[in-house]
Amino acid sequence: MPHRVQSYVHLHLVSDATGETLIAVARAAAAQYASVRAIEHVYPLVRAPKQLDRVIAEIEAAPGIVLYTLINPELSERLEAKCQEFGAPCVSVLAPVLGVFRSYLGTESTPRIGGQHVLNAEYFRRIDALNYTLLHDDGQMTEDLEDADVVLIGVSRTSKTPTSIYLANRGIKTANIPLVPGIPLPGNLETLNRPLVVGLVASPERIVQIRQNRLLSLNASDDSAYVDRAAVAEEIAQTRRLCARHGWPTIDVTRRSIEETAAAILALIQERRHV
């Protein structure tokens, strides 16, 4: 059976700030086209005509789809005019959204380059959360768990650390505690009041697969309970029993991305606040 040739598209992302918004939107859209490989060209901090000229030259050399977030109307108009010349589709990612805001609120926006990155209270809350989370990773500094917003518990390889970091970037102070056979839990874990404690679980097959890959990458031996399916199944069963005993919610991460797991935890936080 012949292999299907994967096509590609040049994706030019032009921003007067960091470009994070564009990258997220572009990747979400590109993910819907499995047979197309997007070649990203990211141009952050484009705020002057000379900078835009260099971008335009690159678009002309490798035509493709152009997405942009430029507050300066002169730069926006020049980019759109040049793309029209090249026959390259050019879309302002924020324009339709700003249009809805303007229509609903009945007022014009106040243009601010990189407005979402302003050093306000929300920004410092995220930094504080990130600092807390890094210091409380993998069972460290358990004395002040009561200061956390969320405490994640789970056996090895249930994505506790990356989920914690993701939540921290959303301003959620997150600690994570590994559940290791034979190692006692922190004494204060079962008496916490303020934090939401969430158990992360997965299928034994998935955990074993990840652990085996981990051991291979470390050139370590795999003749231990660490990758024994029955032992892993018992670890996960103990996690479920512990959570059930305390009324802590569990999330099965077997087929979830980090983002999906974090979204489920954020929903649990919202639920808890409205109880």
Side-chain angles (χ1 to χ4, degrees), residues 93-160:
V93 166
L94 288 179
V97 181
L98 289 173
V100 171
F101 271 71
R102 184 170 58 249
S103 172
Y104 187 80
L105 298 174
T107 184
E108 291 296 324
S109 62
T110 306
R112 288 191 303 167
I113 291 173
Q116 70 272 41
H117 302 297
V118 171
L119 302 184
N120 55 15
E122 176 64 23
Y123 173 83
F124 289 109
R125 188 169 74 90
R126 290 203 308 274
I127 295 301
D128 189 36
L130 194 54
N131 286 335
Y132 179 92
T133 300
L134 291 173
L135 288 172
H136 295 77
D137 180 43
D138 203 30
Q140 299 180 81
M141 294 183 64
T142 57
E143 313 80 40
D144 60 345
L145 287 179
E146 193 66 47
D147 294 336
D149 297 311
V150 171
V151 176
L152 302 181
I153 62 172
V155 303
S156 169
R157 317 327 292 177
T158 46
S159 303
K160 296 183 298 299

Coordinates of all heavy atoms in Angstrom, one line a residue, residues 93-160:
V93 N -5.6 37.7 14.2 CA -6.2 36.7 15.1 C -7.1 37.4 16.2 O -8.2 36.9 16.5 CB -5.1 35.9 15.9 CG1 -5.7 35.1 17.0 CG2 -4.5 35.0 14.9
L94 N -6.7 38.6 16.6 CA -7.5 39.3 17.6 C -8.7 40.1 17.1 O -9.6 40.4 17.9 CB -6.6 40.2 18.5 CG -5.6 39.4 19.4 CD1 -4.8 40.5 20.2 CD2 -6.4 38.6 20.4
A95 N -8.6 40.6 15.8 CA -9.6 41.5 15.3 C -11.1 41.0 15.5 O -11.9 41.8 16.0 CB -9.3 41.8 13.8
P96 N -11.4 39.8 15.1 CA -12.8 39.3 15.3 C -13.2 39.3 16.8 O -14.4 39.7 17.1 CB -12.8 37.9 14.8 CG -11.6 37.8 13.9 CD -10.6 38.7 14.5
V97 N -12.3 39.0 17.7 CA -12.6 38.9 19.1 C -12.8 40.3 19.6 O -13.8 40.6 20.4 CB -11.5 38.2 19.9 CG1 -11.8 38.1 21.4 CG2 -11.3 36.8 19.4
L98 N -11.9 41.2 19.2 CA -12.1 42.6 19.7 C -13.4 43.2 19.1 O -14.0 44.1 19.8 CB -10.9 43.5 19.2 CG -9.5 43.2 19.9 CD1 -8.4 43.9 19.2 CD2 -9.6 43.5 21.4
G99 N -13.8 42.8 17.9 CA -15.0 43.3 17.3 C -16.2 42.9 18.2 O -17.1 43.7 18.4
V100 N -16.2 41.7 18.7 CA -17.3 41.2 19.6 C -17.3 42.0 20.9 O -18.4 42.4 21.3 CB -17.1 39.7 19.9 CG1 -18.1 39.2 20.9 CG2 -17.3 38.9 18.6
F101 N -16.1 42.2 21.5 CA -16.1 43.0 22.7 C -16.6 44.4 22.4 O -17.4 45.0 23.2 CB -14.6 43.1 23.2 CG -14.2 42.0 24.1 CD1 -14.0 40.7 23.6 CD2 -13.9 42.3 25.4 CE1 -13.6 39.7 24.5 CE2 -13.6 41.2 26.3 CZ -13.4 39.9 25.8
R102 N -16.2 45.0 21.3 CA -16.6 46.4 21.0 C -18.1 46.5 20.8 O -18.8 47.4 21.3 CB -15.9 46.9 19.7 CG -16.2 48.3 19.4 CD -15.2 48.8 18.3 NE -15.4 48.0 17.1 CZ -14.4 47.2 16.6 NH1 -13.3 47.1 17.2 NH2 -14.6 46.5 15.5
S103 N -18.7 45.5 20.1 CA -20.1 45.5 19.9 C -20.9 45.3 21.2 O -21.9 46.0 21.4 CB -20.4 44.4 18.9 OG -21.8 44.2 18.8
Y104 N -20.4 44.4 22.0 CA -21.1 44.1 23.2 C -21.0 45.2 24.3 O -22.0 45.5 25.0 CB -20.6 42.8 23.8 CG -21.5 42.3 25.0 CD1 -22.7 41.6 24.8 CD2 -21.0 42.4 26.3 CE1 -23.4 41.2 25.8 CE2 -21.8 42.0 27.4 CZ -23.0 41.4 27.1 OH -23.7 40.9 28.2
L105 N -19.8 45.7 24.4 CA -19.5 46.7 25.4 C -19.9 48.1 25.0 O -20.0 49.0 25.8 CB -18.0 46.7 25.9 CG -17.5 45.4 26.5 CD1 -16.0 45.4 26.7 CD2 -18.3 45.1 27.8
G106 N -20.0 48.3 23.7 CA -20.3 49.7 23.2 C -19.2 50.7 23.4 O -19.5 51.9 23.5
T107 N -18.0 50.2 23.4 CA -16.9 51.1 23.6 C -15.6 50.6 22.8 O -15.5 49.4 22.6 CB -16.5 51.3 25.1 OG1 -15.5 52.3 25.2 CG2 -16.1 50.0 25.7
E108 N -14.7 51.5 22.5 CA -13.5 51.1 21.8 C -12.5 50.5 22.8 O -12.5 50.9 24.0 CB -12.9 52.3 21.1 CG -13.7 52.8 19.9 CD -13.8 51.8 18.8 OE1 -12.8 51.1 18.5 OE2 -14.9 51.7 18.2
S109 N -11.6 49.7 22.3 CA -10.5 49.1 23.1 C -9.4 50.2 23.3 O -9.4 51.2 22.5 CB -9.9 47.9 22.4 OG -9.4 48.3 21.2
T110 N -8.6 50.0 24.3 CA -7.4 50.8 24.5 C -6.2 50.0 24.1 O -5.8 49.1 24.9 CB -7.3 51.2 26.0 OG1 -8.6 51.8 26.4 CG2 -6.2 52.2 26.2
P111 N -5.7 50.2 22.9 CA -4.6 49.4 22.4 C -3.4 49.4 23.3 O -2.9 50.4 23.7 CB -4.2 50.0 21.1 CG -5.4 50.8 20.7 CD -6.0 51.3 21.9
R112 N -2.9 48.2 23.7 CA -1.7 48.0 24.6 C -0.9 46.9 24.0 O -1.4 45.7 24.0 CB -2.1 47.8 26.0 CG -2.7 49.0 26.8 CD -2.7 48.7 28.3 NE -3.5 47.5 28.5 CZ -3.5 46.9 29.7 NH1 -2.7 47.3 30.7 NH2 -4.3 45.8 29.9
I113 N 0.3 47.1 23.5 CA 1.1 46.0 23.1 C 1.5 45.1 24.2 O 1.9 45.6 25.3 CB 2.4 46.6 22.4 CG1 2.1 47.3 21.1 CG2 3.4 45.5 22.1 CD1 3.2 48.1 20.5
G114 N 1.3 43.8 24.0 CA 1.6 42.9 25.1 C 0.8 43.1 26.4 O 1.3 42.9 27.5
G115 N -0.4 43.6 26.2 CA -1.2 43.9 27.4 C -1.4 42.8 28.3 O -1.5 43.0 29.6
Q116 N -1.4 41.5 27.8 CA -1.6 40.4 28.7 C -0.4 40.1 29.6 O -0.4 39.3 30.5 CB -2.0 39.1 27.9 CG -0.9 38.5 27.1 CD -0.8 39.1 25.7 OE1 -1.0 40.3 25.5 NE2 -0.6 38.3 24.7
H117 N 0.8 40.8 29.3 CA 2.0 40.5 30.0 C 2.3 41.7 31.0 O 3.4 41.8 31.5 CB 3.2 40.3 29.1 CG 2.9 39.2 28.1 ND1 2.8 37.9 28.5 CD2 2.8 39.2 26.8 CE1 2.6 37.1 27.5 NE2 2.6 37.9 26.4
V118 N 1.4 42.6 31.3 CA 1.6 43.7 32.2 C 2.0 43.1 33.6 O 1.4 42.1 34.0 CB 0.3 44.6 32.3 CG1 0.5 45.6 33.4 CG2 0.1 45.3 30.9
L119 N 2.9 43.8 34.2 CA 3.3 43.3 35.6 C 2.3 43.8 36.6 O 2.6 44.7 37.4 CB 4.7 43.9 35.9 CG 5.9 43.5 34.9 CD1 7.2 44.0 35.4 CD2 5.9 42.0 34.7
N120 N 1.2 43.1 36.6 CA 0.2 43.5 37.6 C 0.1 42.4 38.7 O 0.9 41.5 38.8 CB -1.2 43.6 36.9 CG -1.6 42.4 36.1 OD1 -1.0 41.3 36.3 ND2 -2.5 42.5 35.2
A121 N -0.9 42.5 39.5 CA -1.0 41.6 40.7 C -1.2 40.2 40.2 O -0.6 39.2 40.8 CB -2.2 42.0 41.5
E122 N -1.9 40.0 39.1 CA -2.1 38.6 38.5 C -0.8 38.0 38.1 O -0.5 36.8 38.3 CB -3.0 38.7 37.3 CG -3.3 37.4 36.6 CD -4.0 36.3 37.4 OE1 -4.6 36.7 38.4 OE2 -3.8 35.2 37.1
Y123 N 0.1 38.8 37.5 CA 1.4 38.3 37.1 C 2.2 37.9 38.3 O 2.8 36.8 38.3 CB 2.2 39.5 36.4 CG 3.6 39.1 36.0 CD1 3.9 38.4 34.9 CD2 4.7 39.5 36.9 CE1 5.2 38.1 34.6 CE2 6.0 39.2 36.6 CZ 6.2 38.5 35.4 OH 7.5 38.1 35.1
F124 N 2.3 38.7 39.3 CA 3.0 38.3 40.5 C 2.4 37.1 41.3 O 3.1 36.4 41.9 CB 3.2 39.5 41.4 CG 4.1 40.6 40.9 CD1 3.6 41.8 40.4 CD2 5.5 40.3 40.8 CE1 4.5 42.7 39.8 CE2 6.3 41.3 40.2 CZ 5.8 42.5 39.8
R125 N 1.1 37.0 41.1 CA 0.5 35.8 41.7 C 1.0 34.5 41.0 O 1.2 33.5 41.7 CB -1.1 35.9 41.6 CG -1.8 34.8 42.3 CD -3.3 35.1 42.4 NE -4.0 35.0 41.1 CZ -4.5 33.8 40.7 NH1 -4.5 32.8 41.5 NH2 -5.1 33.7 39.6
R126 N 1.1 34.6 39.7 CA 1.6 33.4 39.0 C 3.1 33.1 39.3 O 3.4 32.0 39.5 CB 1.5 33.7 37.5 CG 0.1 33.7 36.9 CD 0.0 33.4 35.5 NE 0.9 34.2 34.7 CZ 0.6 35.4 34.2 NH1 -0.6 35.9 34.4 NH2 1.4 36.1 33.4
I127 N 3.9 34.2 39.5 CA 5.3 34.0 39.9 C 5.4 33.3 41.3 O 6.1 32.4 41.5 CB 6.1 35.3 39.8 CG1 6.1 35.8 38.4 CG2 7.5 35.1 40.4 CD1 6.8 34.9 37.4
D128 N 4.5 33.8 42.2 CA 4.5 33.3 43.5 C 4.1 31.8 43.5 O 4.7 31.0 44.2 CB 3.5 34.1 44.4 CG 3.6 33.8 45.8 OD1 4.7 33.5 46.3 OD2 2.5 33.8 46.5
A129 N 3.1 31.5 42.7 CA 2.6 30.1 42.6 C 3.7 29.2 42.0 O 3.9 28.1 42.5 CB 1.4 30.1 41.7
L130 N 4.4 29.7 41.0 CA 5.5 28.9 40.4 C 6.6 28.7 41.4 O 7.1 27.5 41.5 CB 6.0 29.7 39.2 CG 6.9 28.9 38.2 CD1 6.2 27.6 37.7 CD2 7.3 29.7 37.0
N131 N 7.0 29.7 42.1 CA 8.0 29.5 43.2 C 7.6 28.5 44.2 O 8.4 27.6 44.5 CB 8.3 30.8 43.9 CG 9.1 31.8 43.0 OD1 9.8 31.4 42.1 ND2 9.0 33.1 43.3
Y132 N 6.4 28.6 44.7 CA 5.9 27.6 45.6 C 5.9 26.2 45.1 O 6.3 25.2 45.7 CB 4.5 28.0 46.1 CG 3.9 27.0 47.1 CD1 4.0 27.2 48.4 CD2 3.2 25.8 46.7 CE1 3.5 26.4 49.4 CE2 2.7 25.0 47.6 CZ 2.8 25.2 48.9 OH 2.3 24.3 49.8
T133 N 5.4 26.1 43.8 CA 5.3 24.7 43.2 C 6.7 24.1 43.0 O 6.8 22.9 43.2 CB 4.6 24.9 41.9 OG1 3.3 25.4 42.1 CG2 4.4 23.6 41.1
L134 N 7.7 24.8 42.6 CA 9.0 24.3 42.4 C 9.6 23.8 43.7 O 10.3 22.8 43.7 CB 9.9 25.3 41.7 CG 9.6 25.7 40.2 CD1 10.4 26.8 39.7 CD2 9.7 24.4 39.3
L135 N 9.3 24.6 44.8 CA 9.9 24.2 46.1 C 9.2 23.0 46.7 O 9.7 22.3 47.6 CB 9.8 25.4 47.0 CG 10.7 26.5 46.8 CD1 10.4 27.7 47.7 CD2 12.2 26.1 47.0
H136 N 7.9 22.7 46.2 CA 7.1 21.6 46.8 C 6.9 20.5 45.8 O 5.9 19.8 45.8 CB 5.8 22.2 47.3 CG 6.0 23.1 48.4 ND1 6.4 24.4 48.2 CD2 5.8 23.0 49.8 CE1 6.4 25.1 49.4 NE2 6.1 24.2 50.4
D137 N 7.9 20.3 44.9 CA 7.8 19.2 43.9 C 8.3 17.9 44.5 O 9.2 17.9 45.3 CB 8.7 19.6 42.7 CG 8.6 18.5 41.6 OD1 7.5 18.0 41.3 OD2 9.7 18.2 41.0
D138 N 7.6 16.8 44.2 CA 8.0 15.5 44.5 C 8.2 15.3 46.0 O 9.2 14.7 46.4 CB 9.3 15.2 43.8 CG 9.6 13.7 43.6 OD1 8.6 12.9 43.5 OD2 10.7 13.2 43.6
G139 N 7.3 15.8 46.8 CA 7.3 15.5 48.2 C 8.2 16.3 49.0 O 8.5 16.0 50.2
Q140 N 8.8 17.4 48.5 CA 9.7 18.3 49.2 C 8.9 19.3 50.1 O 7.8 19.7 49.7 CB 10.6 19.1 48.2 CG 11.5 18.2 47.4 CD 12.3 19.0 46.4 OE1 13.4 19.6 46.8 NE2 11.9 19.2 45.2
M141 N 9.5 19.7 51.2 CA 9.0 20.8 52.0 C 7.5 20.6 52.3 O 6.7 21.4 52.0 CB 9.2 22.1 51.4 CG 10.7 22.5 51.3 SD 11.0 24.2 50.6 CE 10.2 25.2 51.9
T142 N 7.2 19.5 53.0 CA 5.8 19.2 53.2 C 5.2 19.8 54.5 O 4.0 19.7 54.8 CB 5.6 17.6 53.4 OG1 6.5 17.2 54.4 CG2 6.0 16.9 52.1
E143 N 6.1 20.6 55.2 CA 5.6 21.2 56.4 C 4.5 22.2 56.2 O 3.6 22.4 57.1 CB 6.8 21.9 57.2 CG 8.1 21.1 57.3 CD 8.9 21.1 56.0 OE1 9.0 22.1 55.4 OE2 9.4 20.0 55.7
D144 N 4.6 22.9 55.1 CA 3.6 24.0 54.8 C 2.6 23.7 53.7 O 2.2 24.5 52.9 CB 4.3 25.3 54.6 CG 5.2 25.3 53.4 OD1 5.5 24.2 52.9 OD2 5.6 26.4 52.9
L145 N 2.2 22.4 53.6 CA 1.2 22.0 52.6 C -0.1 22.8 52.7 O -0.8 23.0 51.7 CB 0.9 20.5 52.7 CG 2.1 19.6 52.2 CD1 1.6 18.1 52.4 CD2 2.4 19.8 50.7
E146 N -0.4 23.2 53.9 CA -1.7 23.9 54.1 C -1.7 25.2 53.3 O -2.8 25.8 53.0 CB -1.8 24.2 55.6 CG -3.2 24.7 56.0 CD -4.3 23.6 55.9 OE1 -4.1 22.5 56.3 OE2 -5.4 24.0 55.3
D147 N -0.6 25.7 52.9 CA -0.5 27.0 52.1 C -0.8 26.7 50.6 O -1.0 27.7 49.8 CB 0.9 27.6 52.2 CG 1.1 28.1 53.6 OD1 0.2 28.4 54.3 OD2 2.3 28.3 54.0
A148 N -0.9 25.5 50.2 CA -1.1 25.1 48.8 C -2.6 25.4 48.4 O -3.5 25.4 49.3 CB -0.7 23.7 48.5
D149 N -2.8 25.6 47.1 CA -4.2 25.6 46.6 C -4.6 24.2 46.3 O -5.8 23.8 46.4 CB -4.3 26.5 45.4 CG -4.0 27.9 45.7 OD1 -4.5 28.5 46.6 OD2 -3.1 28.5 44.9
V150 N -3.6 23.4 45.7 CA -3.9 22.0 45.3 C -2.7 21.2 45.7 O -1.6 21.6 45.6 CB -4.0 22.0 43.7 CG1 -4.1 20.5 43.3 CG2 -5.3 22.7 43.3
V151 N -3.0 20.0 46.2 CA -2.0 19.0 46.4 C -2.3 17.8 45.6 O -3.4 17.2 45.7 CB -1.9 18.6 47.9 CG1 -0.9 17.4 48.1 CG2 -1.6 19.8 48.8
L152 N -1.4 17.4 44.7 CA -1.6 16.2 43.8 C -0.8 15.0 44.4 O 0.3 15.2 44.9 CB -1.0 16.5 42.4 CG -1.6 17.7 41.6 CD1 -0.9 17.8 40.3 CD2 -3.1 17.5 41.5
I153 N -1.5 13.9 44.5 CA -0.9 12.7 44.9 C -1.0 11.6 43.9 O -2.0 11.7 43.1 CB -1.5 12.2 46.3 CG1 -3.0 11.8 46.1 CG2 -1.3 13.2 47.4 CD1 -3.6 11.2 47.3
G154 N -0.1 10.7 43.8 CA -0.2 9.6 42.8 C 1.1 8.9 42.8 O 2.2 9.3 43.3
V155 N 1.1 7.7 42.2 CA 2.3 6.8 42.1 C 3.2 7.4 41.0 O 2.8 8.4 40.3 CB 1.9 5.4 41.7 CG1 0.9 4.8 42.7 CG2 1.3 5.3 40.3
S156 N 4.4 6.9 41.0 CA 5.4 7.4 40.0 C 4.9 7.3 38.6 O 4.3 6.3 38.2 CB 6.6 6.5 40.2 OG 7.6 6.8 39.1
R157 N 5.1 8.3 37.8 CA 4.8 8.4 36.4 C 3.4 8.7 36.1 O 2.8 8.3 35.1 CB 5.3 7.2 35.6 CG 6.6 6.6 35.9 CD 7.7 7.6 36.3 NE 8.2 8.5 35.2 CZ 9.1 9.5 35.4 NH1 9.6 9.6 36.6 NH2 9.4 10.3 34.5
T158 N 2.7 9.5 37.0 CA 1.3 9.9 36.7 C 1.3 11.4 36.3 O 0.2 12.0 36.5 CB 0.4 9.6 37.9 OG1 1.0 10.0 39.1 CG2 0.0 8.1 38.0
S159 N 2.4 11.9 35.9 CA 2.5 13.3 35.4 C 2.2 14.3 36.5 O 1.6 15.4 36.2 CB 1.5 13.5 34.2 OG 1.8 12.6 33.2
K160 N 2.6 14.1 37.7 CA 2.3 15.0 38.8 C 3.1 16.3 38.6 O 2.5 17.4 38.7 CB 2.7 14.4 40.1 CG 1.8 13.2 40.5 CD 2.2 12.7 41.9 CE 3.6 12.2 42.0 NZ 3.9 11.0 41.1

